[in-house]
Amino acid sequence: MSDKRKIAEAVITRLSIYNRALGEIGKEGLEIISSDELGNRIGYSAAQIRKDLSCFGEFGEVGKGYFVQDLRDVISHILGVDRKWNVALAGAGHLGSALLAYPGFKQWGFNIVAVFDNDLAKIGKKWESIVIQDISELAKTVKEQDIRIGAIAVPPQVSQEIVDMFTSCGIRAILNFATASITVPEGVKLRNVDLATELECLSYFLTNEAEVRSEVLGKIKNSSGEGG
Amino acid sequence: MSDKRKIAEAVITRLSIYNRALGEIGKEGLEIISSDELGNRIGYSAAQIRKDLSCFGEFGEVGKGYFVQDLRDVISHILGVDRKWNVALAGAGHLGSALLAYPGFKQWGFNIVAVFDNDLAKIGKKWESIVIQDISELAKTVKEQDIRIGAIAVPPQVSQEIVDMFTSCGIRAILNFATASITVPEGVKLRNVDLATELECLSYFLTNEAEVRSEVLGKIKNSSGEGG
DNA sequence: CAAATATTGTGAAAATTATCACAGCATCCA
DNA sequence: TGGATGCTGTGATAATTTTCACAATATTTG
Ligand SMILES: NC(=O)c1ccc[n+]([C@@H]2O[C@H](COP(=O)([O-])OP(=O)(O)OC[C@H]3O[C@@H](n4cnc5c(N)ncnc54)[C@H](O)[C@@H]3O)[C@@H](O)[C@H]2O)c1
Ligand SMILES: NC(=O)c1ccc[n+]([C@@H]2O[C@H](COP(=O)([O-])OP(=O)(O)OC[C@H]3O[C@@H](n4cnc5c(N)ncnc54)[C@H](O)[C@@H]3O)[C@@H](O)[C@H]2O)c1
């Protein structure tokens, strides 16, 4: 059942999680895995996994399970990560530098090919082969370098400005680390990495649920936010 | 209608977002705001906001709206952020250092009071008043310093180990930055900050939806991941 | 070979979540 | 004063998401 209905964002998020798990499983040398076993590892139900996959096609072998490598290739293709993406980073401060130094992005196929700041002390400095550019060059560079994804690591007060710069030069996908309420035009996908919200959810849990829940401690549960 | 039913995690996440928006609105000097206007700013429907709040009580004034400061206080209390929380950080590498240097946490009431690593070159070094400790001291320090939240910024391969250390010394709330499939016991809340997943969702969007969506560009939409 | 076992893919049912729509109250305005 | 307006809180309704449960088919075992 792989017709082109609107797929829920939650499905995509889980696909990404399945994909990572499949990578780990592959490294262990396992060639085939059932939805049940995969689910146990990552804390989702077998039915959920099968339903999610069924949005895109039939990839399993009845009575057997899924070929780990094949399923991985399929999911990678669905996610569009069987290619490289060029990423621009705005803000070369503490967080921006950590992101730049992080080899994970490149490994996953997301290349930070340009970095922008407005601090004269930083502009012109190099990180590996990338020279930090003046923020005013953003639009030009985005076009020249075929950049499709923008990452935002500037202070909250200016984050909306940067979003606007990105969207007006054609960027359709933005990863925002600034803790601010920002807005994008329709047709642009924004994902927020919002530490304040993460911590506040933990705080809520500790305040309102932790005691009650801990009574039933013992069983293992999932790894994706619903640990209780 | 504020009885003690199980509240959906999504509600808590939004509460946190409302709270931040209320902070910004307060700074602008506005004293009262309607659910409708608040919703417009952050991309949620007025009904959604009212429903979410109604899980906890009645905080608005009919015909008027919500007192910005009062609602903020109420939400802060619900989230349990009208107090301080002690946080332990495992891993003082690139990301760990950025987190340590980030003043936001303290401002929000989350104090990183202890940092752990297993690299002898790092152990003993100071960041402001915090000395990086050997990871083996984790349990002792967590108890001594009344630490309730653990943050994980170690390499993926060892992240599950650290989770186990945290949970076995009583930590019930964990914020994980390592890109790995990890698991926690029931009664422990885990939130993952998973950049791989974030980027892969963007990649999916660019690959499968961006062109179609961009036809209807123009209208402003919400700021929380559903920008399309 | 037949019976037992494993596992998928998927309709149907259940559960959860979001939206609608409006009664009811407060405020404003003439 | 009284009618128009603005906005909340919520029951009802709609939509979405997850879980269930099983037919269909492959594999293993004796
Ligand atoms: N550091 C963290 O661990 C962390 C954690 C959570 C959230 N954040 C968020 O990430 C963002 C960056 O945090 P940080 O700690 O790196 O801050 P930072 O101050 O170290 O870096 C911000 C950088 O943005 C640059 N900048 C400022 N205005 C700019 C503009 N108009 N155009 C281009 N560049 C500009 C600054 O020169 C600086 O280099 C902030 O919004 C912060 O809330 C950071
Ligand atoms: N840096 C980033 O921007 C970034 C982005 C996304 C995800 N991450 C994830 O965050 C984690 C940390 O990334 P990083 O870039 O800071 O890596 P890093 O290598 O710079 O830092 C890891 C730190 O953990 C320490 N460590 C290793 N094993 C340990 C153990 N058993 N006990 C205690 N400490 C130990 C190391 O000594 C090092 O200081 C990784 O899991 C990575 O996947 C990082």
Side-chain angles (χ1 to χ4, degrees), chain A residues 6 9 16 20 24 78-80 85 105 172 179 181-184 186 188-192 194-195 197-200 203-205 208 213 219-221 223 225 227, chain B residues 6 9 16 20 24 78-80 85 105 172 179 181-184 186 188-192 194-195 197-200 203-205 207-208 213 219-221 223 225 227:
Chain A
K6 157 108 207 195
E9 186 130 343
S16 166
R20 172 162 58 243
E24 294 170 2
I78 293 167
L79 293 175
W85 293 100
F105 296 125
R172 291 267 141 71
T179 295
S181 316
I182 63 179
T183 275
V184 292
E186 185 111 351
V188 175
K189 173 70 80 191
L190 172 69
R191 301 275 305 192
N192 290 301
D194 188 337
L195 293 214
T197 296
E198 298 299 332
L199 287 167
E200 289 179 3
S203 167
Y204 174 85
F205 173 78
N208 300 280
R213 296 307 180 84
K219 270 168 37 199
I220 296 293
K221 265 213 72 185
S223 64
Chain B
K6 156 112 202 184
E9 186 130 343
S16 165
R20 171 159 63 243
E24 294 170 3
I78 293 168
L79 293 174
W85 293 99
F105 295 125
R172 291 268 144 71
T179 294
S181 314
I182 62 178
T183 275
V184 292
E186 185 111 351
V188 175
K189 174 70 81 192
L190 172 70
R191 302 275 306 191
N192 290 301
D194 188 337
L195 293 214
T197 296
E198 297 299 333
L199 286 167
E200 288 179 4
S203 167
Y204 174 85
F205 174 78
T207 305
N208 300 279
R213 298 306 180 84
K219 270 167 40 198
I220 296 292
K221 264 216 72 185
S223 64

Coordinates of all heavy atoms in Angstrom, one line a residue, chain A residues 6 9 16 20 24 78-80 85 105 172 179 181-184 186 188-192 194-195 197-200 203-205 208 213 219-221 223 225 227, chain B residues 6 9 16 20 24 78-80 85 105 172 179 181-184 186 188-192 194-195 197-200 203-205 207-208 213 219-221 223 225 227:
Chain A
K6 N -0.6 11.8 2.3 CA 0.2 12.6 3.2 C 0.7 11.7 4.3 O -0.1 11.0 5.0 CB -0.6 13.8 3.7 CG -0.1 14.4 5.0 CD 0.5 15.7 4.9 CE 1.5 15.9 6.0 NZ 2.1 17.0 6.5
E9 N 4.3 13.2 10.0 CA 5.7 13.5 10.4 C 6.3 12.5 11.4 O 7.4 12.1 11.4 CB 5.8 14.9 11.0 CG 7.2 15.4 11.2 CD 7.5 16.7 10.7 OE1 6.7 17.2 9.8 OE2 8.5 17.3 11.1
S16 N 13.5 7.3 10.6 CA 14.9 7.6 10.9 C 15.4 6.8 12.1 O 16.6 6.4 12.0 CB 14.9 9.1 11.2 OG 16.2 9.5 11.8
R20 N 18.6 4.1 12.0 CA 19.8 4.0 12.8 C 19.9 2.6 13.5 O 21.0 2.1 13.5 CB 19.7 5.1 13.9 CG 20.9 4.9 14.8 CD 21.2 6.1 15.7 NE 20.1 6.5 16.5 CZ 19.6 7.7 16.3 NH1 20.0 8.5 15.4 NH2 18.6 8.1 17.1
E24 N 23.0 -0.2 13.4 CA 23.7 -0.9 14.5 C 23.5 -2.4 14.4 O 24.5 -3.1 14.6 CB 23.0 -0.4 15.8 CG 23.3 1.1 16.1 CD 22.5 1.6 17.3 OE1 21.7 0.9 17.9 OE2 22.6 2.9 17.6
I78 N 13.9 6.5 0.9 CA 12.7 7.2 1.3 C 13.0 8.5 2.0 O 12.5 9.6 1.6 CB 11.8 6.4 2.3 CG1 11.3 5.1 1.6 CG2 10.7 7.2 2.8 CD1 10.7 4.1 2.5
L79 N 14.0 8.5 2.9 CA 14.3 9.7 3.6 C 15.1 10.7 2.7 O 15.4 11.8 3.1 CB 15.2 9.3 4.9 CG 14.4 8.6 6.0 CD1 15.4 8.2 7.1 CD2 13.3 9.4 6.5
G80 N 15.6 10.2 1.6 CA 16.4 11.1 0.8 C 17.8 11.2 1.3 O 18.5 12.2 0.9
W85 N 23.7 16.4 1.0 CA 23.0 17.7 1.1 C 24.0 18.8 1.5 O 24.8 18.5 2.4 CB 21.9 17.7 2.1 CG 20.7 16.8 1.7 CD1 20.5 15.5 2.2 CD2 19.6 17.1 0.9 NE1 19.4 15.0 1.6 CE2 18.8 15.9 0.8 CE3 19.2 18.2 0.1 CZ2 17.6 15.9 0.1 CZ3 18.1 18.1 -0.6 CH2 17.3 17.0 -0.6
F105 N 27.8 15.0 10.9 CA 27.0 15.5 9.8 C 27.5 15.0 8.5 O 26.7 14.6 7.6 CB 27.0 17.1 9.8 CG 26.3 17.6 11.0 CD1 27.0 18.5 11.9 CD2 25.0 17.3 11.4 CE1 26.4 19.1 13.0 CE2 24.4 17.8 12.5 CZ 25.1 18.7 13.3
R172 N 14.4 25.8 1.9 CA 13.1 25.3 2.2 C 13.1 24.4 3.5 O 12.1 23.9 3.9 CB 12.6 24.3 1.1 CG 12.2 25.0 -0.2 CD 10.7 25.3 -0.1 NE 10.5 26.6 -0.8 CZ 10.6 26.8 -2.1 NH1 10.9 25.9 -2.9 NH2 10.3 28.0 -2.5
T179 N 16.5 29.4 20.9 CA 15.4 29.2 21.7 C 14.5 30.4 21.6 O 14.6 31.4 22.3 CB 15.8 29.0 23.2 OG1 16.5 27.8 23.2 CG2 14.7 28.9 24.1
S181 N 10.5 31.9 19.5 CA 9.3 31.5 18.8 C 9.5 32.1 17.4 O 9.2 33.3 17.2 CB 8.0 32.1 19.4 OG 8.0 31.9 20.8
I182 N 9.8 31.3 16.4 CA 9.9 31.8 15.1 C 9.0 31.1 14.1 O 8.4 30.1 14.4 CB 11.4 31.7 14.6 CG1 11.8 30.2 14.4 CG2 12.3 32.5 15.4 CD1 13.2 30.1 13.9
T183 N 8.8 31.7 13.0 CA 7.8 31.4 12.1 C 8.3 31.4 10.7 O 9.2 32.1 10.3 CB 6.7 32.6 12.2 OG1 5.9 32.3 13.3 CG2 6.0 32.8 10.9
V184 N 7.8 30.4 9.9 CA 8.3 30.3 8.5 C 7.1 30.3 7.5 O 6.0 30.0 7.9 CB 9.0 29.0 8.3 CG1 10.4 29.0 9.0 CG2 8.2 27.8 8.6
E186 N 4.6 29.1 4.6 CA 4.1 27.8 4.1 C 5.1 27.3 3.1 O 5.7 28.0 2.3 CB 2.7 28.0 3.5 CG 2.0 26.7 3.1 CD 0.8 26.4 3.9 OE1 0.6 27.1 5.0 OE2 0.1 25.4 3.6
V188 N 7.8 25.8 3.8 CA 9.2 25.7 4.4 C 9.0 24.8 5.6 O 8.1 25.0 6.4 CB 9.7 27.1 4.8 CG1 11.1 26.9 5.5 CG2 9.9 28.0 3.5
K189 N 10.0 23.9 5.7 CA 9.9 23.0 6.9 C 10.9 23.5 7.9 O 12.1 23.7 7.6 CB 10.3 21.6 6.5 CG 10.5 20.6 7.6 CD 9.2 20.3 8.3 CE 8.4 19.3 7.5 NZ 7.0 19.1 8.0
L190 N 10.4 23.7 9.1 CA 11.3 24.2 10.2 C 11.3 23.1 11.3 O 10.2 22.6 11.7 CB 10.7 25.4 10.8 CG 11.3 26.0 12.1 CD1 12.8 26.5 11.8 CD2 10.5 27.1 12.7
R191 N 12.5 22.7 11.7 CA 12.6 21.8 12.9 C 13.3 22.6 14.0 O 14.4 23.1 13.7 CB 13.3 20.5 12.5 CG 12.7 19.7 11.4 CD 11.6 18.8 11.8 NE 12.0 17.8 12.9 CZ 11.2 16.8 13.2 NH1 10.1 16.5 12.6 NH2 11.6 16.0 14.2
N192 N 12.8 22.6 15.1 CA 13.4 23.3 16.3 C 14.1 22.3 17.2 O 13.5 21.3 17.5 CB 12.4 24.0 17.1 CG 11.8 25.2 16.3 OD1 12.6 26.1 15.9 ND2 10.5 25.2 16.1
D194 N 15.0 22.4 20.6 CA 14.7 23.4 21.7 C 15.0 22.8 23.1 O 14.2 22.1 23.7 CB 13.2 23.7 21.5 CG 12.7 24.8 22.4 OD1 13.4 25.1 23.4 OD2 11.7 25.4 22.1
L195 N 16.2 23.2 23.5 CA 16.6 22.6 24.8 C 15.7 23.1 26.0 O 15.5 22.3 26.9 CB 18.0 23.0 25.1 CG 19.1 22.4 24.2 CD1 20.4 22.2 25.0 CD2 18.6 21.1 23.6
T197 N 12.5 23.5 26.0 CA 11.4 22.7 26.0 C 11.7 21.3 26.5 O 11.0 20.7 27.3 CB 10.8 22.6 24.6 OG1 10.3 23.9 24.3 CG2 9.6 21.6 24.6
E198 N 12.9 20.7 26.1 CA 13.3 19.4 26.5 C 13.4 19.4 28.0 O 12.9 18.5 28.7 CB 14.6 19.0 25.9 CG 14.6 18.9 24.3 CD 13.6 17.9 23.8 OE1 13.4 16.9 24.5 OE2 13.1 18.0 22.7
L199 N 14.1 20.4 28.5 CA 14.4 20.4 30.0 C 13.1 20.6 30.7 O 12.8 20.0 31.8 CB 15.4 21.5 30.3 CG 16.8 21.2 29.9 CD1 17.7 22.4 30.0 CD2 17.4 20.1 30.9
E200 N 12.2 21.4 30.2 CA 11.0 21.7 30.9 C 10.1 20.4 30.9 O 9.4 20.2 31.9 CB 10.3 22.9 30.3 CG 11.0 24.2 30.7 CD 10.5 25.5 30.1 OE1 9.4 25.5 29.4 OE2 11.1 26.5 30.3
S203 N 11.4 18.4 33.7 CA 11.0 19.0 34.9 C 9.5 18.7 35.3 O 9.2 18.3 36.4 CB 11.2 20.6 34.8 OG 10.6 21.2 35.9
Y204 N 8.7 18.8 34.3 CA 7.3 18.4 34.5 C 7.2 17.0 34.9 O 6.5 16.7 35.9 CB 6.5 18.6 33.2 CG 5.1 18.1 33.3 CD1 4.1 18.9 33.9 CD2 4.7 16.8 33.0 CE1 2.8 18.4 34.1 CE2 3.4 16.3 33.2 CZ 2.5 17.1 33.7 OH 1.2 16.7 33.9
F205 N 7.9 16.1 34.3 CA 7.9 14.7 34.6 C 8.3 14.5 36.1 O 7.6 13.8 36.8 CB 8.7 13.9 33.7 CG 8.9 12.5 34.0 CD1 7.8 11.6 33.8 CD2 10.0 12.0 34.7 CE1 8.0 10.2 34.1 CE2 10.1 10.7 35.0 CZ 9.1 9.8 34.7
N208 N 5.6 16.0 38.5 CA 4.2 15.5 38.5 C 4.0 14.0 38.3 O 3.0 13.4 38.6 CB 3.4 16.1 37.4 CG 3.4 17.6 37.5 OD1 2.6 18.2 38.3 ND2 4.2 18.3 36.8
R213 N 5.1 6.9 38.8 CA 5.6 5.9 37.8 C 6.6 5.0 38.4 O 6.7 3.8 38.0 CB 6.2 6.7 36.6 CG 5.3 7.5 35.9 CD 4.1 6.7 35.4 NE 3.2 7.5 34.7 CZ 3.3 7.8 33.4 NH1 4.3 7.3 32.7 NH2 2.4 8.5 32.8
K219 N 10.3 -3.0 34.2 CA 10.2 -3.3 32.8 C 10.9 -2.3 31.9 O 11.0 -1.1 32.3 CB 8.7 -3.4 32.4 CG 8.1 -4.7 32.6 CD 6.6 -4.7 32.4 CE 6.1 -3.8 31.4 NZ 4.6 -3.5 31.6
I220 N 11.5 -2.8 30.8 CA 12.2 -1.9 29.9 C 11.2 -1.2 29.0 O 10.3 -1.9 28.5 CB 13.2 -2.7 29.1 CG1 14.3 -3.3 30.0 CG2 13.8 -1.9 28.0 CD1 15.1 -2.3 30.7
K221 N 11.4 0.0 28.8 CA 10.6 0.7 27.8 C 11.3 1.5 26.7 O 12.6 1.4 26.7 CB 9.6 1.6 28.5 CG 8.2 1.0 28.7 CD 7.1 1.9 28.7 CE 6.8 2.4 27.2 NZ 5.8 3.5 27.2
S223 N 12.8 4.2 23.8 CA 14.0 5.1 23.9 C 13.7 6.4 23.3 O 14.5 7.2 23.1 CB 15.2 4.5 23.2 OG 14.9 4.3 21.8
G225 N 11.6 9.2 24.1 CA 10.8 10.3 24.7 C 9.7 9.8 25.6 O 9.3 10.4 26.5
G227 N 9.7 7.4 27.9 CA 10.2 6.4 28.9 C 9.4 6.4 30.1 O 9.9 6.6 31.2
Chain B
K6 N -3.9 11.4 33.0 CA -2.6 11.4 32.3 C -2.6 12.5 31.2 O -3.5 12.5 30.4 CB -2.4 10.0 31.7 CG -1.4 10.0 30.6 CD -0.1 9.3 30.8 CE 0.9 9.8 29.9 NZ 2.2 9.4 29.7
E9 N 2.2 14.1 26.5 CA 3.5 14.8 26.4 C 3.4 16.0 25.5 O 4.0 17.0 25.7 CB 4.5 13.8 25.9 CG 5.9 14.3 26.0 CD 6.9 13.4 26.7 OE1 6.4 12.5 27.4 OE2 8.1 13.6 26.5
S16 N 5.3 24.5 27.3 CA 6.7 25.1 27.3 C 6.8 26.2 26.3 O 7.4 27.3 26.5 CB 7.7 24.0 27.1 OG 8.9 24.6 26.8
R20 N 7.4 30.3 26.8 CA 8.4 31.2 26.2 C 7.8 32.3 25.5 O 8.2 33.5 25.6 CB 9.3 30.4 25.2 CG 10.2 31.3 24.4 CD 11.4 30.7 23.8 NE 11.0 29.7 22.8 CZ 11.3 28.4 22.9 NH1 11.9 27.9 24.0 NH2 10.9 27.6 22.0
E24 N 8.2 36.5 26.0 CA 8.5 37.5 24.9 C 7.4 38.6 24.9 O 7.7 39.8 24.9 CB 8.6 36.8 23.6 CG 9.8 35.9 23.4 CD 9.8 35.0 22.2 OE1 8.9 35.2 21.3 OE2 10.7 34.2 22.0
I78 N 3.2 24.7 36.8 CA 2.8 23.3 36.2 C 4.1 22.6 35.8 O 4.2 21.4 36.0 CB 1.8 23.5 35.1 CG1 0.5 24.1 35.6 CG2 1.6 22.2 34.4 CD1 -0.4 24.5 34.5
L79 N 4.9 23.3 35.0 CA 6.1 22.6 34.5 C 7.2 22.3 35.6 O 8.1 21.6 35.3 CB 6.7 23.5 33.4 CG 5.9 23.7 32.1 CD1 6.6 24.7 31.2 CD2 5.7 22.4 31.4
G80 N 7.0 22.9 36.7 CA 7.9 22.7 37.8 C 9.2 23.5 37.6 O 10.3 23.1 38.1
W85 N 16.8 23.2 39.4 CA 17.1 21.8 39.3 C 18.6 21.6 39.1 O 19.2 22.4 38.4 CB 16.4 21.2 38.0 CG 15.0 21.1 38.1 CD1 14.1 22.0 37.5 CD2 14.2 20.1 38.7 NE1 12.8 21.6 37.8 CE2 12.8 20.5 38.5 CE3 14.4 19.0 39.5 CZ2 11.7 19.7 39.0 CZ3 13.4 18.2 40.0 CH2 12.1 18.6 39.7
F105 N 20.9 27.6 30.4 CA 20.4 26.6 31.4 C 20.2 27.2 32.7 O 19.2 27.1 33.4 CB 21.4 25.5 31.5 CG 21.6 24.7 30.2 CD1 22.8 24.5 29.6 CD2 20.4 24.2 29.6 CE1 22.9 23.8 28.4 CE2 20.5 23.5 28.4 CZ 21.8 23.3 27.8
R172 N 16.0 10.1 37.3 CA 14.7 9.8 36.7 C 14.5 10.5 35.4 O 13.4 10.3 34.8 CB 13.6 10.1 37.6 CG 13.5 9.3 38.9 CD 12.5 8.1 38.6 NE 13.0 6.9 39.3 CZ 12.9 6.8 40.6 NH1 12.4 7.7 41.3 NH2 13.4 5.7 41.1
T179 N 23.7 10.2 19.5 CA 22.9 9.6 18.4 C 23.0 8.1 18.5 O 23.8 7.5 17.8 CB 23.4 10.2 17.1 OG1 23.1 11.6 17.1 CG2 22.6 9.6 15.9
S181 N 20.5 4.3 19.7 CA 19.2 3.8 20.2 C 19.4 3.3 21.7 O 20.0 2.3 21.9 CB 18.8 2.6 19.4 OG 18.9 2.8 18.0
I182 N 19.0 4.1 22.6 CA 19.2 3.7 24.0 C 17.8 3.5 24.7 O 16.8 4.0 24.2 CB 20.1 4.7 24.8 CG1 19.4 6.0 24.8 CG2 21.4 4.7 24.2 CD1 20.2 7.0 25.6
T183 N 17.9 2.9 25.8 CA 16.7 2.4 26.5 C 16.8 2.7 27.9 O 17.9 2.7 28.5 CB 16.7 0.8 26.2 OG1 16.1 0.6 24.9 CG2 16.0 0.1 27.3
V184 N 15.6 3.0 28.5 CA 15.6 3.3 30.0 C 14.6 2.5 30.7 O 13.6 2.0 30.0 CB 15.3 4.8 30.3 CG1 16.5 5.7 29.8 CG2 14.0 5.2 29.6
E186 N 11.3 1.6 33.0 CA 10.1 2.3 33.2 C 10.2 3.2 34.4 O 11.0 2.9 35.3 CB 9.0 1.2 33.6 CG 7.6 1.7 33.8 CD 6.7 1.2 32.6 OE1 7.2 0.7 31.6 OE2 5.5 1.5 32.8
V188 N 11.5 6.1 34.2 CA 12.6 7.1 33.9 C 12.2 7.8 32.6 O 11.7 7.1 31.6 CB 13.9 6.4 33.7 CG1 15.0 7.4 33.2 CG2 14.4 5.8 35.0
K189 N 12.3 9.1 32.5 CA 11.9 9.9 31.3 C 13.2 10.2 30.6 O 14.1 10.8 31.1 CB 11.2 11.1 31.7 CG 10.9 12.1 30.6 CD 9.9 11.6 29.6 CE 8.5 11.8 30.1 NZ 7.5 11.1 29.4
L190 N 13.2 9.8 29.3 CA 14.3 10.1 28.4 C 13.9 11.0 27.3 O 12.8 10.7 26.7 CB 14.8 8.7 27.8 CG 15.9 8.9 26.7 CD1 17.2 9.3 27.3 CD2 16.1 7.5 26.1
R191 N 14.6 12.1 27.1 CA 14.3 12.9 25.9 C 15.6 12.9 25.1 O 16.7 13.1 25.6 CB 14.0 14.3 26.3 CG 12.8 14.5 27.3 CD 11.5 14.5 26.6 NE 11.4 15.6 25.6 CZ 10.2 15.9 25.0 NH1 9.1 15.3 25.3 NH2 10.2 16.8 24.0
N192 N 15.4 12.6 23.8 CA 16.6 12.6 22.9 C 16.6 13.8 22.1 O 15.6 14.2 21.5 CB 16.4 11.4 22.0 CG 16.6 10.1 22.7 OD1 17.7 9.8 23.3 ND2 15.6 9.2 22.7
D194 N 18.1 14.6 18.9 CA 18.6 13.7 17.9 C 18.8 14.4 16.6 O 17.9 14.5 15.8 CB 17.7 12.5 17.8 CG 18.2 11.4 16.9 OD1 19.1 11.7 16.1 OD2 17.8 10.2 17.0
L195 N 20.0 14.9 16.4 CA 20.2 15.7 15.2 C 20.1 14.9 13.9 O 19.7 15.4 12.8 CB 21.6 16.3 15.2 CG 21.8 17.4 16.3 CD1 22.7 18.5 15.7 CD2 20.5 18.0 16.7
T197 N 18.0 12.5 13.3 CA 16.6 12.4 12.9 C 16.1 13.8 12.4 O 15.3 13.8 11.5 CB 15.8 12.0 14.2 OG1 16.2 10.7 14.5 CG2 14.3 12.0 13.9
E198 N 16.5 14.8 13.1 CA 16.0 16.2 12.6 C 16.4 16.4 11.2 O 15.6 16.8 10.3 CB 16.7 17.3 13.5 CG 16.3 17.2 15.0 CD 14.8 17.4 15.2 OE1 14.1 18.0 14.3 OE2 14.3 16.9 16.2
L199 N 17.7 16.1 10.9 CA 18.2 16.4 9.5 C 17.5 15.4 8.5 O 17.2 15.8 7.4 CB 19.7 16.2 9.5 CG 20.5 17.3 10.1 CD1 21.9 17.0 10.3 CD2 20.4 18.6 9.2
E200 N 17.2 14.2 8.9 CA 16.6 13.3 8.0 C 15.2 13.6 7.7 O 14.7 13.5 6.6 CB 16.8 11.8 8.6 CG 18.2 11.4 8.4 CD 18.5 10.0 9.0 OE1 17.6 9.3 9.4 OE2 19.7 9.6 9.0
S203 N 15.5 16.2 5.2 CA 15.8 15.6 3.9 C 14.6 15.0 3.3 O 14.3 15.1 2.1 CB 16.9 14.6 4.1 OG 17.0 13.7 3.0
Y204 N 13.8 14.3 4.1 CA 12.5 13.7 3.5 C 11.7 14.8 3.0 O 11.1 14.6 1.9 CB 11.8 12.9 4.7 CG 10.4 12.4 4.2 CD1 10.3 11.2 3.5 CD2 9.3 13.2 4.3 CE1 9.1 10.8 3.0 CE2 8.1 12.8 3.9 CZ 8.0 11.6 3.2 OH 6.8 11.1 2.7
F205 N 11.5 15.8 3.7 CA 10.7 16.9 3.2 C 11.1 17.5 1.9 O 10.4 17.6 1.0 CB 10.6 18.0 4.3 CG 9.9 19.2 3.9 CD1 8.5 19.3 3.9 CD2 10.6 20.4 3.4 CE1 7.8 20.4 3.4 CE2 9.9 21.5 3.0 CZ 8.5 21.5 3.0
T207 N 12.9 16.0 -0.3 CA 12.9 15.0 -1.3 C 11.5 14.7 -1.8 O 11.2 14.5 -3.0 CB 13.5 13.7 -0.8 OG1 14.8 13.9 -0.3 CG2 13.5 12.6 -1.9
N208 N 10.5 14.8 -0.9 CA 9.2 14.3 -1.2 C 8.1 15.3 -1.2 O 7.0 15.1 -1.7 CB 8.8 13.2 -0.2 CG 9.7 12.0 -0.3 OD1 9.6 11.2 -1.1 ND2 10.7 12.0 0.7
R213 N 4.5 21.5 -2.0 CA 4.1 22.5 -1.0 C 4.4 23.9 -1.5 O 3.7 24.8 -1.1 CB 4.9 22.3 0.3 CG 4.6 21.0 0.9 CD 3.0 20.8 1.1 NE 2.7 19.5 1.7 CZ 2.8 19.3 3.0 NH1 3.0 20.3 3.8 NH2 2.5 18.1 3.5
K219 N 1.3 32.0 2.8 CA 0.7 32.1 4.2 C 1.7 31.8 5.2 O 2.6 30.9 5.0 CB -0.5 31.2 4.2 CG -1.8 31.9 3.8 CD -3.0 30.9 3.6 CE -3.0 29.7 4.6 NZ -3.8 28.6 4.2
I220 N 1.5 32.4 6.4 CA 2.4 32.1 7.5 C 1.9 30.9 8.3 O 0.7 30.8 8.5 CB 2.5 33.3 8.4 CG1 3.1 34.5 7.7 CG2 3.3 33.0 9.7 CD1 4.5 34.3 7.3
K221 N 2.8 30.1 8.6 CA 2.4 28.9 9.5 C 3.3 28.8 10.7 O 4.2 29.5 11.0 CB 2.4 27.6 8.7 CG 1.0 27.3 8.1 CD 0.8 25.8 8.1 CE 0.5 25.3 9.5 NZ 0.4 23.8 9.5
S223 N 5.5 27.4 14.1 CA 6.9 27.4 14.2 C 7.4 26.1 14.9 O 8.6 26.0 15.3 CB 7.3 28.6 15.1 OG 6.7 28.4 16.4
G225 N 7.8 22.7 13.8 CA 8.1 21.5 13.1 C 7.1 21.2 12.0 O 7.4 20.5 11.1
G227 N 5.9 23.2 9.6 CA 5.9 24.4 8.7 C 5.5 24.0 7.3 O 6.1 24.3 6.3

